[in-house]
Amino acid sequence: MAEPMHEITPTVSAQYRADLEEFERHDGRPAFVLNMTELKLLGIAGVGFFLDAYDLFIINPVATMLQYRLYGGGHLPTNLEGFVKAGANIGSVIGQFAFGYAADAFGRKAVYGKELMLIIIATILTLTTPTGTLSPDACLIYLGVFRILLGIGVGGDYPMSASITSDRSNIRKRGTMLSYIFSNQGWGSFVGSLATIIVLLCYKHAMEGRGETSKVDGVWRIIVGISLVPAFGTLYQRLTLPESTRFLSAQKLKHHDHANEAGDDIEELKKAQKAEEDIKMDNIPKGDKGEIENKTRAGDSSSADTSDVDEATAPVDVLVKKKAHFSEFVAYFSEWRHGKMLLGTCMCWFLLDVAFYGINLNQNVVLQQIGYDGSEGTPWNRLFKVSTGGMIITSLGFVPGYYASILTIEILGRKWIQIQGFLLAALFLGILAGEFHTLSKPAFIVCFAFLQFFFNFGANTTTYCYPAEVFPTRFRATAHGISAAAGKAGAIISALAFNTLSKKVGTPVILWIFFGCCIAGAFFTLLLPEVKGRDPDLVLAEEIRVRREARKAQNQVVKET
């Protein structure tokens, strides 16, 4: 006799799964079309990269202005100039390591926003540089020290915003969202040049008409201080940003009784975990089980604490979202299948930044070739030309390259974009290196514009996206921080060595070195899988399942013998 059919009432955990399914649902729109929630996330997370580019690249015109304020128009001391330009990158390495590990160890929400507070404090301290009382060299040291502090905040934003965005993004739009966030670098650089031009125009009468060159001291302080506006504008939103739907759902699922669940069309990861969760809950006394349910319904935040779960018996969905300890991080990446991906993300980012920052932190060489180096005219005219040249470079290559990535990343994939970006950047570096002294001004501008375009429609975007997409949630922020720190190490090497080497061997030889870095970057990309549509937590869950089955089989053999 057939059993009577009963209506099945979904448990609380089933409702969380339904919420998650709703979050992942395809709305039928192209990936680059964002809804209001995604636009809000873009504004909150993107401001960090806007400030990154603004603060890192604004140092070029600021260094030129300090020549007139501190050294009567003469060049800055080579070593101190390198220290000031590299200061933010030195700090970035520290910030990327520290904030990346903290985000995995203590949770995203507990840490997010603190890096922006550091940026604000460091910017204010930078503005206090006492150019009227300290010696010129001491002023540069003072400025460089606080730019290191600024760099710690800027560096911390890399793993934090990447992890926050990746955790909160629909998988089919994850790469697009990350690219949107990173594209704010282009706007930061563009606005930096535009702000410099506007402020210089405001000071034109004083500097040109009255010959008060010392007023340049006010110009650089204003353009540095402008960055405080977007920073203060998003600080509250960062500090109060709630956890993502996916992250909360995964955390709350672990204490629920799944015995009555049926008919839920949920993610494969959750389906694979159902049997293990049932076993775990069956071993809990009824009173304790009821208490767990009640705590979960009441929203008890302690139910989301996964720091002390048992690796051997805990449900898989708990393990893949569990907060990571350093020893677990080392154990995970000691396996070659995982370690090679970290090696790939680190080396690709390192090699890219050697070339990318080597050129962009020393734009005076490029500006000289296109006639915007400000080598002639009054101090105001020189500064205005340098700023105009910087905006031309940004407009031609930076912004278009970023948006080419945004529009195509979910179609072409990350791996294809990164490899072609490296190879085509190498092509144009080779042309610039081989014909550096013979290219006409229009030809040089065209080649340099294409170089910048393929940096950004290529590895400069994807090296940021890859660590946020290829590593599981448990290790994502730490791995992203390490990868970004490797990139900044390359930037530091370029900032400190470019001027010295170019004087010894010539700029074309330096460009050939950058050419070699891009070719090597394309080869290291082969270590990485394509991550379009790939859920690293599912991959980790399957690895855990296979490992457990192997352990069970081994134990069974031991029992039989």
Side-chain angles (χ1 to χ4, degrees):
M1 181 176 176
E3 294 183 3
M5 297 294 292
H6 298 285
E7 183 179 354
I8 299 175
T9 304
T11 62
V12 177
S13 58
Q15 183 59 49
Y16 287 132
R17 286 172 168 169
D19 291 343
L20 184 59
E21 187 183 29
E22 178 67 26
F23 178 74
E24 289 289 357
R25 184 169 294 166
H26 194 327
D27 58 10
R29 295 184 296 181
F32 57 83
V33 178
L34 306 183
N35 58 38
M36 287 306 298
T37 302
E38 290 164 338
L39 284 171
K40 182 180 178 182
L41 177 61
L42 175 60
I44 294 171
V47 72
F49 290 93
F50 176 91
L51 294 174
D52 173 29
Y54 189 98
D55 287 324
L56 291 181
F57 291 107
I58 202 70
I59 195 61
N60 286 308
V62 168
T64 306
M65 293 175 194
L66 290 174
Q67 291 179 9
Y68 294 105
R69 179 65 182 91
L70 300 175
Y71 295 92
H75 289 291
L76 302 181
T78 302
N79 292 337
L80 289 178
E81 181 181 10
F83 174 64
V84 169
K85 287 185 175 181
N89 285 318
I90 293 170
S92 289
V93 174
I94 301 170
Q96 284 155 348
F97 272 118
F99 280 92
Y101 177 73
D104 282 340
F106 305 113
R108 298 357 176 195
K109 181 171 171 50
V111 181
Y112 202 43
K114 311 304 186 295
E115 74 294 331
L116 191 56
M117 292 172 68
L118 264 184
I119 292 174
I120 291 171
I121 293 169
T123 301
I124 293 172
L125 290 172
T126 297
L127 295 174
T128 65
T129 303
T131 52
T133 55
L134 291 180
S135 67
D137 288 2
C139 284
L140 292 182
I141 294 171
Y142 184 101
L143 181 63
V145 167
F146 288 122
R147 280 189 61 78
I148 291 176
L149 183 63
L150 173 71
I152 294 174
V154 168
D157 198 71
Y158 276 70
M160 290 306 307
S161 288
S163 300
I164 289 287
T165 303
S166 187
D167 289 349
R168 301 175 70 88
S169 296
N170 185 311
I171 290 176
R172 79 175 187 89
K173 301 176 74 170
R174 185 180 58 201
T176 301
M177 281 299 298
L178 288 165
S179 299
Y180 264 123
I181 299 296
F182 196 68
S183 69
N184 282 276
Q185 273 202 341
W187 289 113
S189 182
F190 180 85
V191 172
S193 297
L194 181 62
T196 305
I197 289 173
I198 292 173
V199 177
L200 279 171
L201 286 172
C202 294
Y203 274 80
K204 182 176 182 180
H205 180 69
M207 293 178 65
E208 284 277 84
R210 300 197 298 267
E212 298 174 356
T213 306
S214 63
K215 293 291 186 181
V216 77
D217 204 38
V219 177
W220 78 260
R221 292 179 199 272
I222 291 173
I223 61 176
V224 169
I226 287 172
S227 65
L228 292 171
V229 176
F232 276 115
T234 54
L235 179 60
Y236 176 77
Q237 284 79 7
R238 285 199 176 198
L239 293 173
T240 58
L241 186 69
E243 285 288 10
S244 67
T245 301
R246 181 182 296 108
F247 187 80
L248 283 176
S249 296
Q251 295 299 303
K252 290 175 181 176
L253 282 172
K254 68 172 183 168
H255 287 310
H256 294 151
D257 182 5
H258 298 242
N260 291 327
E261 291 185 315
D264 262 341
D265 182 17
I266 57 176
E267 294 176 69
E268 289 183 10
L269 169 61
K270 303 301 184 286
K271 289 179 179 178
Q273 295 155 8
K274 184 176 184 297
E276 288 186 331
E277 292 173 10
D278 287 340
I279 293 172
K280 183 181 180 185
M281 294 305 298
D282 286 341
N283 291 331
I284 298 175
K286 288 185 178 179
D288 293 342
K289 189 184 297 185
E291 184 180 346
I292 291 171
E293 288 276 5
N294 291 335
K295 282 185 178 180
T296 304
R297 289 188 178 95
D300 189 339
S301 61
S302 64
S303 67
D305 183 11
T306 59
S307 58
D308 297 321
V309 298
D310 188 345
E311 291 277 342
T313 60
V316 179
D317 65 323
V318 177
L319 290 178
V320 296
K321 298 291 185 180
K322 175 179 177 287
K323 294 177 183 176
H325 298 291
F326 186 72
S327 59
E328 295 167 342
F329 179 89
V330 172
Y332 179 80
F333 285 104
S334 63
E335 296 183 43
W336 172 243
R337 59 178 172 170
H338 304 142
K340 71 176 182 179
M341 292 191 295
L342 185 59
L343 175 64
T345 57
C346 288
M347 288 304 302
C348 288
W349 210 332
F350 172 82
L351 292 165
L352 166 78
D353 278 11
V354 168
F356 182 75
Y357 281 92
I359 289 174
N360 287 289
L361 285 177
N362 297 278
Q363 283 187 0
N364 57 310
V365 175
V366 178
L367 294 175
Q368 184 178 4
Q369 290 297 110
I370 64 175
Y372 281 91
D373 61 330
S375 57
E376 298 176 352
T378 65
W380 186 91
N381 276 320
R382 293 181 181 185
L383 291 169
F384 191 81
K385 269 196 170 183
V386 169
S387 300
T388 304
M391 192 162 69
I392 291 172
I393 290 172
T394 303
S395 302
L396 288 176
F398 261 53
V399 175
Y402 285 122
Y403 281 88
S405 294
I406 289 169
L407 294 174
T408 62
I409 194 165
E410 304 296 354
I411 300 170
L412 301 175
R414 291 63 162 163
K415 193 168 186 175
W416 190 92
I417 290 177
Q418 183 157 306
I419 290 176
Q420 66 85 31
F422 268 130
L423 294 178
L424 288 172
L427 170 65
F428 288 105
L429 279 167
I431 294 173
L432 290 173
E435 305 294 331
F436 188 78
H437 296 295
T438 58
L439 280 176
S440 64
K441 186 183 297 184
F444 190 95
I445 292 174
V446 169
C447 283
F448 189 79
F450 274 115
L451 171 63
Q452 293 284 44
F453 178 83
F454 285 109
F455 268 144
N456 296 300
F457 177 45
N460 193 39
T461 298
T462 54
T463 50
Y464 171 75
C465 295
Y466 248 121
E469 297 193 86
V470 75
F471 300 117
T473 303
R474 289 181 65 181
F475 310 110
R476 180 175 295 145
T478 306
H480 195 285
I482 291 172
S483 303
K488 288 303 181 211
I492 292 168
I493 290 172
S494 279
L496 296 178
F498 184 95
N499 285 328
T500 303
L501 273 178
S502 63
K503 290 174 183 176
K504 289 183 178 179
V505 300
T507 301
V509 174
I510 303 298
L511 294 177
W512 280 120
I513 294 173
F514 295 163
F515 168 88
C517 288
C518 289
I519 296 296
F523 279 104
F524 274 103
T525 304
L526 299 176
L527 293 174
L528 301 170
E530 176 53 62
V531 293
K532 182 175 67 172
R534 179 181 186 268
D535 189 341
D537 287 341
L538 275 176
V539 175
L540 177 59
E542 180 62 18
E543 291 174 1
I544 293 171
R545 186 187 64 78
V546 170
R547 187 162 58 243
R548 285 182 174 178
E549 288 183 355
R551 191 182 300 120
K552 288 178 182 177
Q554 185 178 9
N555 291 340
Q556 186 64 31
V557 171
V558 172
K559 287 180 181 178
E560 292 175 354
T561 56

